[in-house]
Amino acid sequence: MGPLGHCAVGLAAKPAARKVPLGILLLAALILDILAISFGLAGIEGGKAGNPWTHGLFMSVIWSLAAGLLSAHLYAEYRAGVVVGLVVFSHWVLDLISHPIPFSSFSWRTWHWDFGHPMPPGLPLLFGGSPKVGLGLYNSISAAEATAIELGMLAVGAALYVRYSVKKKEARLS
Ligand SMILES: [Zn+2]
């Protein structure tokens, strides 16, 4: 899934994690992709090797636990840790639903991709050589439809966040 859909989860999670700043929740929602880009640049994964260190099920659970423990410690709150951990793991679940994405055939100019050829699933369960999964939603709908889904998710996430902020302000005023 793209960054907009992931950010929607970060926004929607804010009411559940009052102590955690919104920026941290957005970072948590995107951290697996940020790690994937960094690890790709460092030559640790990417290309033919795939993304087992950032988008494998096993390592996604490890990253989620690590982020959860760190947040529980930083914010001195069990709840903050649970929410941040779940937000990190939501990335893998959304990618499971949407991947494989035919991004290699995407044109920014026409906002179109070709999904005619069957693409193999790309999310490993463990490490290199393990079975790969991916339900392939984005490989069966158009790029415009995928964008519409993500904008819709973002709108819902933003609405939940705004509702929470308004309530918080009202509570402070009264
Ligand atoms: Zn991802």
Side-chain angles (χ1 to χ4, degrees):
M1 177 155 287
L4 298 182
H6 289 304
C7 283
V9 178
L11 284 159
K14 178 61 189 164
R18 287 154 191 263
K19 283 192 173 183
V20 186
L22 179 63
I24 297 294
L25 292 169
L26 295 177
L27 182 68
L30 293 171
I31 193 71
L32 295 183
D33 280 351
I34 294 169
L35 287 173
I37 293 167
S38 319
F39 286 11
L41 290 173
I44 297 168
E45 62 167 30
K48 269 205 173 146
N51 298 86
W53 293 100
T54 61
H55 282 66
L57 173 59
F58 177 74
M59 281 310 294
S60 297
V61 170
I62 299 292
W63 292 119
S64 303
L65 285 173
L69 287 171
L70 182 68
S71 305
H73 177 76
L74 275 177
Y75 301 106
E77 192 192 54
Y78 176 72
R79 187 191 179 89
V82 171
V83 173
V84 170
L86 285 175
V87 170
V88 173
F89 191 66
S90 77
H91 187 109
W92 194 83
V93 176
L94 289 179
D95 279 2
L96 172 70
I97 295 167
S98 53
H99 285 222
I101 303 177
F103 206 76
S104 53
S105 64
F106 181 72
S107 154
W108 290 95
R109 201 172 49 79
T110 59
W111 209 265
H112 176 86
W113 61 42
D114 250 316
F115 48 87
H117 52 97
M119 283 175 72
L123 302 174
L125 291 178
L126 289 166
F127 294 98
S130 68
K132 289 184 176 152
V133 291
L135 302 178
L137 176 65
Y138 282 13
N139 201 28
S140 56
I141 62 176
S142 70
E145 284 167 331
T147 308
I149 287 175
E150 299 212 13
L151 287 174
M153 288 173 67
L154 191 67
V156 172
L160 290 169
Y161 175 72
V162 168
R163 195 182 67 163
Y164 161 79
S165 311
V166 169
K167 267 193 190 161
K168 201 170 102 177
K169 236 184 219 157
E170 281 173 358
R172 232 189 255 148
L173 289 175
S174 61

